[in-house]
Amino acid sequence: MKVLAILYDGFKAAQQEPRLLGTVENKLGLAEWLKSRGHEYIVSSSKEGPDSDFQKHIQDAEVLITTPFHPGYLTRDLVQKAKNLKLCITAGVGSDHIDLNAAVDHKIQVLEVSGSNVTSVAEHVVMSILLLVRNFVPAHEMIERGDWQVSDIARQAFDLEGKVVGTIGAGRIGYRVLQRLVPFNTKELLYYDYAPLPEEAARAIKARRVEDLEEFVSQCDVVTLNAPLHEGTRGLINDKLLAKFKPGAWLVNTARGAICDRDAVARALQSGQLSGYAGDVWNVQPAPKDHVWRTMKNPLGGGNGMVPHHSGSTLDAQARYADGTKKILENYLDGKAQEAQNVIVGLGKYETKAYGRR
Ligand code: NAI
């Protein structure tokens, strides 16, 4: 059997740090094990264009392993060329880089390691909210420049206490974000999700559901995005919706870049409609050098908390998603049932309710 993995290059860091498991060098820790079972294991970062390893090897691979951090985009066109493909495993969470509808049509199963990095992301979200609200990035840049002008920072620095924070998507990550914010004594914690939280879970953190999206964003000082990317969320945050946000709100997106309209977000930040935008996900990854989100600023020169896609790729998370990938492969090879929570697309149908209402 041929297993193809598209991972990111770790270069020197991966040679020095073997716990960087999700790299081309360390191969999710699967190389010896797959070899001992007699399987061919191709690992590469080359993923764009017809001459890439991804597009060449996908034509006869039976299993494809990808990560959302350096996504191998499995389009419908490639699905049609992938004659032997039976299983796609996302080493991590979020399988939108796979054309899931095409996978359904071609009876290719898509699994992810659910839960493997949700705490990692929730912590990153809380950090991003704080760094925006407290105007951290320009303050640090000022220090590196050798300057010291407290008023330039303080004029846009606030407490999180007393603010309204809301999540779009209240699944594993969204709920954990709200849970972690309870001790900050926010004015309210809100959520928008077509799946209501179990009553007890909502009560435990005093989260209130708002069913209308425009009404929801108009009430939030901080909005955090924690829903998967699918037909119902692509471009959800656009000019029209941003106009309904509270003027000067902060937006954190660690879900997927394409949930936001790239230029609408830049315009909203540049006009001050948003005070800040932070996150680690981009509409194309790696993000081009001139991507507007790298350098966009609010009218006072701050409000940008963007980083590369790494919030779900801490060393702790890598251990969990490497382990989970091996378990999924093992089940597949041994003909055992997969854990239900990991199955996004089963044989010919969606098994999850999280990728849109169908
Ligand atoms: P989950 O499946 O536990 O929760 C997703 C929630 O979003 C569900 O409650 C679902 O009903 C809701 N949802 C779906 N469509 C919606 C819509 N149109 N409006 C409102 N809510 C909607 O997923 P989990 O584990 O919380 O992850 C969420 C997403 O976060 C992933 O799909 C992935 O895209 C992203 N992620 C990012 C990582 C990073 O490193 N930045 C790492 C892990 C996940």
Side-chain angles (χ1 to χ4, degrees):
M1 180 182 80
K2 182 169 183 172
V3 180
L4 169 64
I6 300 300
L7 304 174
Y8 58 84
D9 289 310
F11 299 116
K12 202 172 163 194
Q15 285 154 17
Q16 293 173 345
E17 178 49 85
R19 289 175 298 175
L20 277 168
L21 285 166
T23 56
V24 168
E25 291 77 1
N26 297 328
K27 303 178 171 49
L28 288 163
L30 298 173
E32 290 310 312
W33 175 68
L34 278 171
K35 196 172 153 207
S36 72
R37 294 193 58 151
H39 303 296
E40 187 186 1
Y41 186 35
I42 311 278
V43 183
S44 175
S45 65
S46 149
K47 68 185 182 82
E48 303 298 338
D51 295 330
S52 63
D53 288 340
F54 177 41
Q55 297 208 13
K56 275 191 286 182
H57 290 289
I58 196 66
Q59 303 193 27
D60 60 350
E62 181 170 333
V63 176
L64 171 67
I65 302 173
T66 52
T67 74
F69 310 105
H70 180 74
Y73 296 102
L74 189 71
T75 57
R76 183 175 283 276
D77 185 43
L78 286 179
V79 167
Q80 273 153 2
K81 290 183 184 148
K83 297 290 176 226
N84 295 344
L85 190 61
K86 300 225 165 38
L87 173 68
C88 296
I89 307 175
T90 299
V93 174
S95 301
D96 50 278
H97 54 285
I98 310 287
D99 186 323
L100 297 175
N101 294 327
V104 169
D105 294 344
H106 289 260
K107 297 203 163 42
I108 296 167
Q109 298 193 64
V110 182
L111 279 85
E112 48 188 55
V113 190
S114 293
S116 57
N117 52 15
V118 296
T119 298
S120 324
V121 180
E123 288 185 4
H124 192 98
V125 173
V126 172
M127 175 187 77
S128 300
I129 291 173
L130 283 169
L131 69 82
L132 288 183
V133 171
R134 307 204 58 95
N135 211 15
F136 176 85
V137 176
H140 180 71
E141 288 168 349
M142 172 185 282
I143 286 302
E144 284 202 7
R145 277 198 313 272
D147 294 341
W148 185 285
Q149 190 52 52
V150 176
S151 56
D152 282 354
I153 302 303
R155 68 183 294 186
Q156 216 176 18
F158 297 84
D159 297 341
L160 184 55
E161 183 172 83
K163 304 295 183 292
V164 177
V165 183
T167 177
I168 296 182
R172 296 178 183 88
I173 297 174
Y175 187 77
R176 279 170 175 74
V177 170
L178 298 186
Q179 252 184 338
R180 279 157 181 72
L181 291 178
V182 169
F184 284 89
N185 293 325
T186 57
K187 186 172 175 196
E188 256 202 308
L189 296 174
L190 306 182
Y191 76 98
Y192 171 82
D193 194 318
Y194 53 71
L197 283 169
E199 251 177 59
E200 189 145 325
R203 205 176 319 116
I205 58 168
K206 299 199 184 76
R208 180 166 67 85
R209 182 179 183 208
V210 181
E211 290 188 52
D212 179 85
L213 184 56
E214 292 189 355
E215 214 178 281
F216 168 85
V217 297
S218 73
Q219 295 177 31
C220 292
D221 296 295
V222 181
V223 174
T224 153
L225 303 181
N226 298 294
L229 174 64
H230 54 77
E231 300 91 325
T233 54
R234 186 175 291 277
L236 186 70
I237 310 294
N238 53 24
D239 283 314
K240 187 167 171 274
L241 192 66
L242 283 161
K244 304 287 178 190
F245 274 53
K246 258 193 190 179
W250 295 275
L251 176 58
V252 172
N253 179 11
T254 53
R256 284 296 176 258
I259 296 176
C260 294
D261 176 325
R262 183 194 61 188
D263 297 330
V265 162
R267 276 192 292 273
L269 188 65
Q270 282 149 5
S271 73
Q273 172 63 6
L274 287 179
S275 289
Y277 183 86
D280 67 333
V281 286
W282 304 73
N283 57 335
V284 182
Q285 294 188 181
K289 276 200 162 43
D290 61 352
H291 197 293
V292 63
W293 287 4
R294 287 181 184 262
T295 50
M296 62 186 180
K297 299 274 194 298
N298 67 26
L300 294 176
N304 186 325
M306 290 306 293
V307 294
H309 190 172
H310 76 100
S311 73
S313 200
T314 59
L315 294 183
D316 304 288
Q318 297 203 27
R320 291 188 295 263
Y321 63 66
D323 188 48
T325 301
K326 186 177 179 191
K327 283 200 184 114
I328 291 170
L329 263 177
E330 215 163 20
N331 288 340
Y332 177 74
L333 293 171
D334 297 344
K336 288 194 191 137
Q338 299 286 355
E339 275 181 54
Q341 63 156 4
N342 290 340
V343 187
I344 304 303
V345 171
L347 274 180
K349 63 178 170 63
Y350 279 87
E351 294 291 351
T352 175
K353 292 191 168 65
Y355 280 78
R357 276 186 278 198
R358 302 167 193 279

